[in-house]
Amino acid sequence: MVIGKYRIGLRTLKTAIAVMCCIIFFHITHRGSPMVATLAAVFALREDMSTTMSFGKSRILGNTIGGISGILYYLCLLNLPNQSIGEIFLVPFFVLVTITISIRLKNEKGIIGGVSTLLFLCFSIPKTSSFTYAIDRVIDTFIGTLFAILWNYLIKSPLEDKEETLEEKKEQLAIKKREVASLEEEIDSMEKNIPADTPLD
């Protein structure tokens, strides 16, 4: 879509729709601010479905690691007499933990999302809130990621359709090649079992 000198791509349009769906969902369910979910939708939505699924899985795993680290940070902070000192030492420690675990799980793509989730929880959760607030924010990231996956599935680019058609043709060709190879083996086997002087006509 072109408006004047500006081109609005399909990915841009899908991102805007995913953000709108997050906002509508949060208004309907009274979940509060949709900020985390909308950010997750923007981060997760990629140029095609396969990339979105791959990035979405990394994002969800990263957010889970960051969310758990954020909840643990919050619980540790509650038990410290001086929360400012605790913040100075605990936040970097849990950043280290989040990155290390992500690397150990071979989820390097989810590191930025995981650390972002952790830092958001560390600095946005009111000190008087319960840890269920942190859990809700982690769930929000799942909601945004799911909307991104949904709209990438519902609206496909012409290039994706061509690529899918091409992949289907390649799969069909591979099946035919296997069938031909199987028939050739069968013919070879039959020919070996036929005496050499036997007429074939």
Side-chain angles (χ1 to χ4, degrees):
M1 182 190 305
V2 179
I3 302 174
K5 296 181 180 179
Y6 301 95
R7 180 183 174 276
I8 300 175
L10 197 57
R11 179 180 170 185
T12 305
L13 185 63
K14 288 189 282 189
T15 302
I17 294 172
V19 167
M20 183 179 69
C21 287
C22 288
I23 296 169
I24 292 171
F25 179 81
F26 273 64
H27 278 297
I28 291 172
T29 57
H30 305 288
R31 281 191 65 82
S33 172
M35 182 177 70
V36 178
T38 53
L39 285 172
V42 172
F43 284 136
L45 205 145
R46 300 285 135 176
E47 58 273 7
D48 55 45
M49 187 61 188
S50 60
T51 312
T52 295
M53 286 297 291
S54 173
F55 195 85
K57 288 175 186 175
S58 297
R59 176 80 180 165
I60 287 173
L61 180 56
N63 288 351
T64 302
I65 296 166
I68 292 170
S69 295
I71 292 167
L72 292 174
Y73 159 81
Y74 178 75
L75 294 173
C76 290
L77 200 66
L78 288 178
N79 295 311
L80 293 176
N82 190 323
Q83 292 191 342
S84 296
I85 297 295
E87 192 174 77
I88 291 169
F89 291 102
L90 286 176
V91 172
F93 170 75
F94 280 107
V95 167
L96 184 147
V97 168
T98 301
I99 294 172
T100 303
I101 292 174
S102 295
I103 292 171
R104 181 70 181 83
L105 295 176
K106 297 180 179 177
N107 188 42
E108 287 84 356
K109 290 181 182 177
I111 288 174
I112 293 175
V115 173
S116 299
T117 301
L118 167 64
L119 294 176
F120 176 82
L121 293 175
C122 289
F123 297 120
S124 71
I125 298 177
K127 300 296 186 288
T128 55
S129 295
S130 66
F131 75 94
T132 55
Y133 181 94
I135 294 172
D136 281 337
R137 299 295 72 78
V138 175
I139 292 171
D140 290 349
T141 63
F142 295 164
I143 293 169
T145 302
L146 289 173
F147 274 119
I149 292 170
L150 172 67
W151 283 105
N152 235 350
Y153 176 77
L154 293 175
I155 305 175
K156 294 182 181 178
S157 68
L159 181 61
E160 276 187 90
D161 288 336
K162 287 179 182 176
E163 286 176 351
E164 282 189 5
T165 303
L166 182 62
E167 288 301 316
E168 287 173 4
K169 296 293 183 186
K170 285 181 179 178
E171 286 179 14
Q172 290 173 7
L173 179 61
I175 291 168
K176 295 294 182 186
K177 283 181 177 178
R178 286 196 294 269
E179 289 176 355
V180 169
S182 177
L183 283 171
E184 287 176 345
E185 288 177 8
E186 195 174 328
I187 290 168
D188 288 341
S189 176
M190 290 175 69
E191 286 178 343
K192 287 176 182 176
N193 293 326
I194 297 174
D197 56 348
T198 303
L200 297 175
D201 53 358

